[in-house]
Amino acid sequence: MTNQPLRIALFTGLYAPFLTGVSVAVHQRVRWLLEQGHEVFLIHPEFNDKYPKQVGNRPMPGLEELQKFPNFSSYAFPTQPLIFYKSLPQPLSYKHWSDTKLLLNFQPDIIVVEESAQMRGAYSAFLQGYGRAVGVKYAKQTKTPIISVFHTDIVAYIKYYLGSFFFSLLRPIIPLIVKQVSDAYTVNVFSSREQLIKYNNLQCQRGEYLPYQGINCEKFHPRNICYDPIPGDRRPTILFVGRITAEKNVTQLIDAFPYIAAKIPDVHLVIVGSGPLDEQIKRRAQKFKSGITIWGESHGTELLGWFARADVFVNPSVTENFCTTNNEALASGTPVVAALAPSTAEQVIPGHNGFLAEPNNPADFAQKIIAILENPELKTAMTQNARPSILDFDWSVCQEKFEEKLYQLVALSNKQKVKVN
């Protein structure tokens, strides 16, 4: 028996033109669901004149691409800039807009909430945000299944920004917060087994592992070397791609650079991305002249070219959740050196497709990078192993599993129709 298409309401706190891994993943997920014939109602953050102009000028795929589908509809909820990061949005509270009214009009078979903690206000220590669990009031009224998709290790963010001492003071209440946030949903899905174990230990309710965080392995491919952004430059290239924020630990790459350059004088570190620490990173990179390139944002075939061009991809962040850029690098045939943290050990197999470095240790990071660049045979083997190691996380494979979970939840539900007045 063929499954009937679903009516899916999908809330997300991040979407184009706000540049994050969540935004990109949500767009790809919605597009895939539409291609399968499902009806999708996307509830996403509004872009307005409170944000820097360059945010709105990004060449990111977004609503225009989805509006071609007759089974697509959308609503932009009111937002304001995040207190600590003016280029990212936070929803205005439920006093300004109603998730329940939107859902009453659409009558979904299932509700998906991407990054539910962020929408509630966790990114701003609950000083902003919707102020209550998104989509839950309607779900309870109608017995509609509602799924929370976990993207960000918010506990790691809290620890990173507050430091160990203040985090230790908050530590006793964190399980209470995790329990309250997760208990609102039918199921909370994690793309990392390690993150699931961590949050289960923090009293997460109804958490499940679901490998939904895939990438397009046909798009990210070694053949993209044809888009090399710096053709003719034969220097060994170390690449970072991501937001330039404190929790991404980009400064540690600059700290590691002198160690690497001492062994490999012509090495070239390229930092691709943007964020609040742009100016600080540029100032620190100046003393290394052409050894470090602060490229800024990159999109389209240029970005594909960077992933294929790099000799080593580096990721010093300890707050990742099955990091998309790690997978994109591996699919492009590029070995990865990443900080040892929950989920990175599920992507990087030391000595096979890269290395795991001691967190917050630039010298160890440097040693791992040097080990690859100084050993052509090891680098060749890692390059050959990189792409096969990630093919199980091709986007279509992951989304089929996600779709299957949606059907399971709908089949188990006792959804009731609610009359719209």
Side-chain angles (χ1 to χ4, degrees), residues 255-277:
D255 292 336
F257 186 78
Y259 296 103
I260 304 167
K263 291 283 188 178
I264 306 169
D266 62 341
V267 72
H268 184 202
L269 170 61
V270 178
I271 296 174
V272 173
S274 66
L277 298 188

Side-chain angles (χ1 to χ4, degrees), residues 20-329:
T20 70
V22 178
S23 305
V24 174
V26 167
H27 178 78
Q28 292 174 332
R29 190 172 353 276
V30 172
R31 182 183 174 89
W32 189 90
L33 290 168
L34 291 169
E35 288 171 345
Q36 311 317 305
H38 300 294
E39 188 171 350
V40 181
F41 179 31
L42 176 65
I43 303 101
H44 63 92
E46 167 196 63
F47 174 75
N48 55 48
D49 58 10
K50 296 175 184 175
Y51 300 95
K53 286 185 178 180
Q54 64 266 28
V55 172
N57 294 331
R58 287 183 176 129
M60 290 176 65
L63 291 176
E64 299 80 8
E65 189 174 287
L66 302 180
Q67 286 166 347
K68 301 172 186 176
F69 292 88
N71 47 333
F72 174 74
S73 58
S74 65
Y75 173 81
F77 57 77
T79 67
Q80 59 185 332
L82 184 62
I83 293 173
F84 309 116
Y85 193 164
K86 300 300 183 183
S87 295
L88 290 183
Q90 280 282 280
L92 295 189
S93 81
Y94 61 87
K95 297 174 184 177
H96 298 274
W97 63 286
S98 172
D99 58 342
T100 306
K101 286 183 179 178
L102 293 172
L103 294 170
L104 278 168
N105 289 330
F106 183 65
Q107 298 274 321
D109 297 314
I110 191 166
I111 305 163
V112 177
V113 184
E114 308 255 1
E115 202 74 322
S116 61
Q118 180 257 334
M119 289 203 70
R120 195 164 183 171
Y123 277 17
S124 62
F126 300 102
L127 299 173
Q128 296 173 295
Y130 196 60
R132 66 186 186 196
V134 172
V136 167
K137 184 178 178 181
Y138 173 88
K140 287 182 176 179
Q141 286 177 347
T142 61
K143 294 184 170 56
T144 302
I146 181 167
I147 181 172
S148 168
V149 180
F150 178 93
H151 285 279
T152 300
D153 187 352
I154 196 67
V155 172
Y157 272 51
I158 293 169
K159 185 175 182 179
Y160 188 90
Y161 278 99
L162 293 184
S164 296
F165 175 73
F166 287 107
F167 180 77
S168 67
L169 299 178
L170 283 176
R171 183 67 177 79
I173 68 168
I174 286 176
L176 300 175
I177 296 172
V178 171
K179 182 177 181 180
Q180 182 186 40
V181 170
S182 61
D183 199 31
Y185 297 96
T186 309
V187 64
N188 299 271
V189 296
F190 292 73
S191 60
S192 161
R193 290 185 176 91
E194 291 294 323
Q195 291 286 11
L196 175 58
I197 292 169
K198 174 180 177 177
Y199 276 79
N200 277 344
N201 290 335
L202 291 169
Q203 302 301 311
C204 176
Q205 305 297 297
R206 295 179 298 284
E208 292 185 16
Y209 169 70
L210 183 68
Y212 62 83
Q213 193 76 335
I215 60 161
N216 186 336
C217 290
E218 270 303 296
K219 180 178 178 182
F220 292 90
H221 197 283
R223 62 172 172 259
N224 291 326
I225 190 64
C226 66
Y227 302 123
D228 187 351
I230 47 174
D233 189 328
R234 301 272 63 89
R235 291 178 291 172
T237 302
I238 305 166
L239 176 69
F240 169 84
V241 176
R243 290 182 293 114
I244 312 301
T245 57
E247 74 275 5
K248 297 296 184 182
N249 278 350
V250 186
T251 55
Q252 291 192 16
L253 296 178
I254 296 179
D255 292 336
F257 186 78
Y259 296 103
I260 304 167
K263 291 283 188 178
I264 306 169
D266 62 341
V267 72
H268 184 202
L269 170 61
V270 178
I271 296 174
V272 173
S274 66
L277 298 188
D278 279 347
E279 294 307 314
Q280 177 186 336
I281 294 296
K282 288 175 183 175
R283 284 196 303 271
R284 293 200 56 194
Q286 282 178 351
K287 66 178 178 179
F288 299 107
K289 299 181 180 178
S290 61
I292 299 180
T293 298
I294 310 300
W295 189 267
E297 291 184 13
S298 183
H299 301 273
T301 55
E302 180 186 87
L303 181 60
L304 299 179
W306 275 123
F307 278 111
R309 166 71 177 82
D311 293 284
V312 179
F313 181 81
V314 286
N315 188 346
S317 172
V318 295
T319 62
E320 299 299 330
N321 174 41
F322 210 74
C323 179
T324 298
T325 52
N326 288 351
N327 290 346
E328 290 169 346

